[in-house]
Amino acid sequence: MLEVLSGLLIACGIFLFASGTLGLLRLPDFYCRMHATGKCDTLGASLALIGCALYNGFSLVSLKILFIVLFIFLANPTATHAIGRAALVNQVFPWTRGPSPAGSNFGKEREEE
Amino acid sequence: MIVQYENIIIKTISRILIPFIQIYALYVIMHGHYSPGGGFQGGVILGASFILLVLAFGAEASQKRISLKKLTVLASLGLLIFSGIGLVALLMGGNYLDYGKLPLPLESIPKIRAMGILGIEIGVGIGVMAIMITIFLAIASYETEGKND
C-alpha cells in the first residue's frame, strides 16, 4: 500500500518535471519559460521527494528528505521571483505576437529615468 | 556597489533561511571525516549564506556583520589554524600535519587523529568562507570604486 502510494507520488512528480521541461523548451520568451519551470519544478521536486520519504519509512533519512522539501518549497519560488524581477528591472523585453506598438516604449522609458 | 531594490519577499525569506544554511554548513564541516563534505564545502556554504545576506540587504546594510577588515582577519586566522596544527605536529617530533603526535589529553591515537582533522577542517572552513566573501565583495564593488578613483 505504502509502496503504491509512494510510486504514485514519484510518478506525479516526474510528470510535473516533464511538463515543466516541455514548457522550458517550447515557450517563446524568458518570462513564459520561467512561468513554466518555476512552479512545475517546485511541486515536482516536492512530490518526488515526499514519495522517496514515504518509501523509506519512518527514519532519520526521511526527516532529512522532508527538510530538503521544505527548503525547496521556500527557496525555489523566491529565486524565481528574484530572477523575474531582475529581468524586469534590466529591461528584458516580453514576447508579443508580431511587431509590438507598446514594445518600443518598454525599454526607453526606463532608460530615461 | 550593488544597486539596492527594496523587496520584502526576498528579505523575509533570506532572514528565515540564512540561520538554517549556516547550521547546515557547520554540520557539513563537523561531519567531514566520516561523511561527504568537509572544511572546504562547509566553508563555501557558510560563505554563500553571507553572500545571500549581501544580495538581499545590500552591501552597506550588511557592513555591520561582515566588513573587509574582519574578513581579512578571519582569512588569516583560518590559515593560522591550519598551518599552526601542522607546525605543532612538526614540533612534537612527527611529520608536518601528522595528527597522531598532537599533545591532546585523549587516551588513544585514533581519537587524537580525529580531533586533529576536525581542527584542520575548522581552519579550512573559516579561511574559505572569508576568501569567498572577499572575492564576491571585490567583484561586486569594482565598478563604483573605479569611478571614485
Side-chain angles (χ1 to χ4, degrees):
Chain A
M1 179 61 205
L2 210 59
E3 287 177 9
V4 173
L5 191 62
S6 63
L8 204 64
L9 280 174
I10 292 172
C12 285
I14 288 171
F15 171 72
L16 282 170
F17 265 128
S19 49
T21 310
L22 188 70
L24 175 70
L25 291 175
R26 292 296 297 162
L27 286 178
D29 80 334
F30 178 78
Y31 297 103
C32 296
R33 285 175 180 169
M34 207 156 61
H35 163 77
T37 52
K39 288 186 280 292
C40 290
D41 282 0
T42 309
L43 193 59
S46 302
L47 285 180
L49 286 172
I50 289 172
C52 291
L54 273 182
Y55 185 78
N56 198 42
F58 191 77
S59 71
L60 189 62
V61 178
S62 298
L63 190 69
K64 287 177 184 171
I65 291 174
L66 291 179
F67 275 134
I68 295 174
V69 171
L70 189 65
F71 182 81
I72 288 174
F73 187 73
L74 282 175
N76 204 350
T78 314
T80 309
H81 169 80
I83 295 169
R85 203 181 145 83
L88 192 67
V89 167
N90 287 306
Q91 299 146 20
V92 174
F93 186 65
W95 178 82
T96 47
R97 189 180 295 280
S100 55
S104 50
N105 287 329
F106 183 77
K108 284 177 185 169
E109 277 178 13
R110 283 170 178 273
E111 274 172 17
E112 284 166 9
E113 280 174 6
Chain B
M1 278 293 168
I2 301 163
V3 185
Q4 177 67 23
Y5 296 103
E6 288 295 317
N7 194 328
I8 189 78
I9 298 173
I10 295 173
K11 279 188 179 179
T12 311
I13 295 293
S14 310
R15 200 177 290 144
I16 294 170
L17 283 184
I18 284 172
F20 293 103
I21 295 173
Q22 288 174 345
I23 288 176
Y24 180 67
L26 294 182
Y27 168 82
V28 169
I29 291 176
M30 288 295 165
H31 277 243
H33 42 282
Y34 45 75
S35 72
F40 186 83
Q41 290 87 342
V44 168
I45 298 172
L46 207 55
S49 75
F50 281 106
I51 289 173
L52 180 60
L53 181 82
V54 176
L55 283 178
F57 292 90
E60 279 89 19
S62 45
Q63 202 60 234
K64 225 176 3 179
R65 295 174 201 275
I66 38 163
S67 59
L68 274 178
K69 201 182 286 180
K70 273 186 212 168
L71 286 172
T72 313
V73 172
L74 279 176
S76 313
L77 182 73
L79 189 60
L80 180 73
I81 293 173
F82 184 91
S83 56
I85 289 175
L87 282 179
V88 167
L90 197 62
L91 286 178
M92 298 306 286
N95 289 320
Y96 188 72
L97 290 179
D98 187 359
Y99 310 114
K101 293 285 197 298
L102 289 177
L104 292 173
L106 292 170
E107 56 266 35
S108 63
I109 296 224
K111 283 187 179 175
I112 295 177
R113 281 187 192 279
M115 293 311 284
I117 292 173
L118 186 61
I120 290 288
E121 272 170 2
I122 288 170
V124 171
I126 292 173
V128 168
M129 177 202 76
I131 296 292
M132 281 274 299
I133 305 167
T134 312
I135 290 173
F136 173 75
L137 286 179
I139 292 173
S141 64
Y142 174 73
E143 206 172 303
T144 47
E145 274 185 4
K147 277 175 194 167
N148 288 338
D149 283 345

